């Protein structure tokens, strides 16, 4: 009986591992193709073979040194600035809202939580036209400030995971600090946050990745203002019919460059990211 169970379990695990390996290979193939052809020297657009016949770093050099019609360097800086400011504001906003809902008891608390959850169910692109006209009325369209406002203004609605994490921290710590004379503000900054590294890292990553990869909202706000484009819009422009012949290989190199910061961040903070998600899903 035991041997039969071990045999079935072994066969099942083998099948699962083979299936996952096949799916993983299929998933990673486009990235391998992208990486290889970002170093391709021959041809200007798509070629009919998989492995490049000539290799060069010139595509990456041209990407950052060619400041003609399409300026990738400026777009990269724009995106980095917007993502950093949005990340800081969004992280603080999410954590403060989460702490308030988790620890504080006030009138209409449950109603605010429910309203926040309902609003979070609607996709963001439903409000894009309204956001555009509001920004236009304030004279903020086609500016990087507008992007920072859009990415960070409603960030507090994503409080669910962080609130769930704060719920797992014993309230006895708050009570002990209160007895010692600490205020709610001091408890949050000096006690709760230092103990919440996983959820802080999770919030930082999600707040940074959103602005870094967004295309639709940035495209609507920026319009034809190329100097303020982000990398997502810029890369899409590189494969436009007017520029594809000249910039296709730079587009491949740019796609690799854009993925590097997020990949490094995730690899560096993966441990805390997983802890934050799992702990935040326990309660709340």
């Amino acid at each position: 009986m035991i041997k039969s169970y071990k045999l079935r379990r072994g066969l099942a695990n083998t099948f699962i591992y083979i299936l996952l390996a096949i799916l993983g290979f299929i998933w990673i193939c486009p990235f391998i193709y992208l990486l290889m052809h970002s170093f391709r020297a021959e041809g200007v657009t798509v070629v009919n073979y998989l492995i490049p016949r000539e290799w060069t770093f010139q595509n990456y050099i041209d990407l950052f040194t060619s400041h003609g019609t399409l300026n990738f360097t400026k777009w990269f800086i724009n995106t980095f600035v917007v993502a950093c400011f949005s990340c800081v504001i969004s992280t603080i906003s999410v954590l403060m809202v989460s702490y308030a809902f988790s620890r504080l008891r006030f009138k209409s608390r449950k109603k605010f939580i429910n309203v926040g959850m309902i609003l979070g169910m609607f996709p963001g692109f439903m409000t894009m036209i309204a956001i555009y006209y509001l920004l236009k009325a304030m004279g903020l369209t086609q500016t990087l400030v507008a992007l920072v406002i859009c990415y960070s203004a409603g960030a507090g609605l994503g409080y669910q995971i962080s609130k769930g994490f704060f719920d797992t921290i014993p309230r006895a710590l708050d009570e002990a600090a209160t007895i010692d004379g600490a205020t709610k503000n001091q408890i949050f900054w000096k006690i709760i946050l230092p103990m919440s590294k996983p959820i802080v890292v999770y919030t930082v990553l999600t707040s940074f990745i959103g602005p870094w990869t967004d295309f639709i909202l940035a495209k609507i706000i920026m319009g034809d203002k190329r100097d303020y484009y982000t990398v997502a819009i810029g890369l899409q422009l590189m494969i436009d019919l007017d520029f594809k012949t000249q910039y296709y290989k730079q587009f491949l190199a740019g796609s690799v460059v854009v993925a590097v910061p997020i990949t490094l961040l995730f690899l560096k903070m993966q441990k805390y990211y997983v802890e934050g998600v799992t702990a935040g899903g326990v309660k709340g």
Side-chain angles (χ1 to χ4, degrees):
M1 189 71 176
I2 295 176
K3 290 183 178 180
S4 177
Y5 168 73
K6 289 183 177 179
L7 178 61
R8 291 199 305 271
R9 186 178 64 177
L11 292 174
N13 288 341
T14 301
F15 173 77
I16 291 172
Y17 292 148
I18 293 174
L19 177 63
L20 291 176
I22 294 173
L23 293 176
F25 178 76
I26 295 173
W27 178 80
I28 203 172
C29 274
F31 299 97
I32 296 175
Y33 176 89
L34 176 68
L35 182 61
M36 288 194 305
H37 283 258
S38 68
F39 293 99
R40 174 162 53 86
E42 73 281 4
V44 288
T45 54
V46 181
V47 292
N48 59 0
Y49 46 85
L50 181 61
I51 300 177
R53 296 168 182 171
E54 297 180 24
W55 303 76
T56 181
F57 283 99
Q58 192 61 41
N59 298 329
Y60 289 89
I61 296 173
D62 292 341
L63 184 68
F64 287 101
T65 59
S66 177
H67 297 159
T69 306
L70 306 183
N71 191 338
F72 181 85
T73 304
K74 189 172 183 61
W75 298 338
F76 190 90
I77 294 173
N78 291 343
T79 310
F80 185 77
V81 170
V82 170
C84 287
F85 276 98
S86 301
C87 177
V88 172
I89 298 172
S90 298
T91 300
I92 295 174
S93 174
V94 169
L95 294 177
M96 293 182 73
V97 171
S98 303
Y99 174 78
F101 283 152
S102 175
R103 286 302 205 258
L104 306 184
R105 297 296 180 266
F106 50 90
K107 187 177 180 180
S108 300
R109 171 180 170 272
K110 285 289 185 181
K111 294 180 180 179
F112 280 124
I113 292 176
N114 292 334
V115 168
M117 293 184 67
I118 292 172
L119 291 176
M121 295 173 63
F122 293 93
F125 63 80
M126 291 180 61
T127 61
M128 286 183 179
I129 302 301
I131 290 174
Y132 175 80
Y133 281 107
L134 285 172
L135 293 171
K136 187 176 182 180
M138 294 185 290
L140 292 176
T141 53
Q142 297 186 330
T143 64
L144 298 181
V145 175
L147 288 180
V148 174
I149 293 174
C150 291
Y151 293 139
S152 56
L157 291 175
Y159 64 84
Q160 291 88 353
I161 298 295
S162 302
K163 177 186 175 297
F165 185 92
F166 288 145
D167 286 342
T168 63
I169 299 177
R171 295 184 61 86
L173 296 173
D174 302 53
E175 296 168 357
T178 301
I179 293 174
D180 290 338
T183 64
K184 295 295 184 181
N185 188 52
Q186 290 173 327
I187 293 173
F188 173 70
W189 291 106
K190 297 183 178 180
I191 297 177
I192 301 300
L193 275 191
M195 298 178 59
S196 307
K197 188 174 182 179
I199 201 62
V200 172
V201 170
Y202 165 80
T203 308
V204 167
L205 284 175
T206 53
S207 300
F208 184 87
I209 291 174
W212 188 266
T213 58
D214 177 64
F215 171 80
I216 300 177
L217 183 60
K219 179 63 175 177
I220 291 176
I221 292 176
M222 290 306 171
D224 59 353
K225 193 76 170 180
R226 288 184 184 175
D227 287 343
Y228 292 149
Y229 274 6
T230 58
V231 288
I233 312 173
L235 290 175
Q236 189 273 337
L237 187 61
M238 283 183 175
I239 55 174
D240 189 81
L241 289 177
D242 295 333
F243 302 103
K244 184 176 182 180
T245 302
Q246 180 181 357
Y247 288 96
Y248 182 75
K249 289 190 292 184
Q250 292 184 32
F251 160 78
L252 297 176
S255 300
V256 174
V257 170
V258 168
V260 169
I262 297 176
T263 303
L264 293 178
L265 265 178
F266 187 81
L267 291 176
K268 182 69 175 178
M269 301 180 175
Q270 182 180 16
K271 173 184 176 182
Y272 302 106
Y273 178 88
V274 175
E275 289 180 3
V277 174
T278 53
V282 174
K283 294 178 65 177

